[in-house]
Amino acid sequence: MANYYSSSRTNYFKVKDLEKFKNELATFGGELDIYTDSGDRGVCIIDNLGEGFPNDYYNEESEDYHDIDWGDFFSRHLVENHVAVIMEAGAEKLRYINGYASAYSWDGRSTHISLEEIYDKAIAEFGSDIKITEAVY
């Protein structure tokens, strides 16, 4: 069995209060690092372990796992008119390659895309009688 490794990061965006942002992000655990831009672009988050952005975290007080709602997290911290974009691409050896991107706005809206959407797009563009297989083994 092979391991899944990914590369994940966000774009640069501005937050209302950097310390509050850092403190809440730290509660999610993992190895997400915050980088600040030397210019005026704001901050970005990078996953340095190749594990991707977490979907949940363990809370020691409640002794339970909790889902992470990235849209809710970003809407609390983003400066008005800013959008945070998470991009991730990864593979399990070359058995499969997947990737996604999610955009979260300051006002709680979000949109998402994945690499797997190419199959539906190809059928829509080229017709339903085309022959297409998935890029997996």
Side-chain angles (χ1 to χ4, degrees):
M1 180 159 180
N3 293 328
Y4 176 80
Y5 296 101
S6 68
S7 295
S8 308
R9 65 160 295 153
T10 68
N11 61 323
Y12 279 91
F13 49 85
K14 290 189 179 179
V15 295
K16 298 172 193 172
D17 184 317
L18 183 57
E19 287 310 309
K20 285 183 181 178
F21 179 78
K22 286 180 177 181
N23 290 337
E24 186 173 354
L25 189 65
T27 65
F28 299 156
E31 292 294 325
L32 297 176
D33 293 329
I34 298 172
Y35 291 88
T36 55
D37 180 49
S38 59
D40 194 32
R41 294 187 297 175
V43 300
C44 75
I45 306 170
I46 296 178
D47 165 36
N48 282 321
L49 290 183
E51 296 177 350
F53 275 63
N55 295 314
D56 60 13
Y57 67 98
Y58 184 75
N59 182 304
E60 291 183 13
E61 288 181 18
S62 66
E63 297 181 347
D64 198 9
Y65 284 90
H66 299 277
D67 291 336
I68 298 172
D69 182 338
W70 288 107
D72 184 52
F73 171 75
F74 284 120
S75 69
R76 281 195 307 279
H77 294 286
L78 288 171
V79 168
E80 186 174 341
N81 292 324
H82 280 258
V83 173
V85 175
I86 298 174
M87 289 191 172
E88 180 176 319
E92 181 182 304
K93 288 203 171 186
L94 288 178
R95 180 174 168 262
Y96 65 86
I97 297 172
N98 67 15
Y100 75 93
S102 296
Y104 303 97
S105 68
W106 82 101
D107 61 359
R109 292 177 292 156
S110 64
T111 187
H112 315 274
I113 59 173
S114 72
L115 288 177
E116 286 78 23
E117 292 177 34
I118 192 61
Y119 301 108
D120 291 336
K121 187 168 175 63
I123 290 169
E125 294 281 329
F126 308 138
S128 61
D129 58 338
I130 64 167
K131 306 296 182 225
I132 186 169
T133 62
E134 291 186 34
V136 298
Y137 69 85

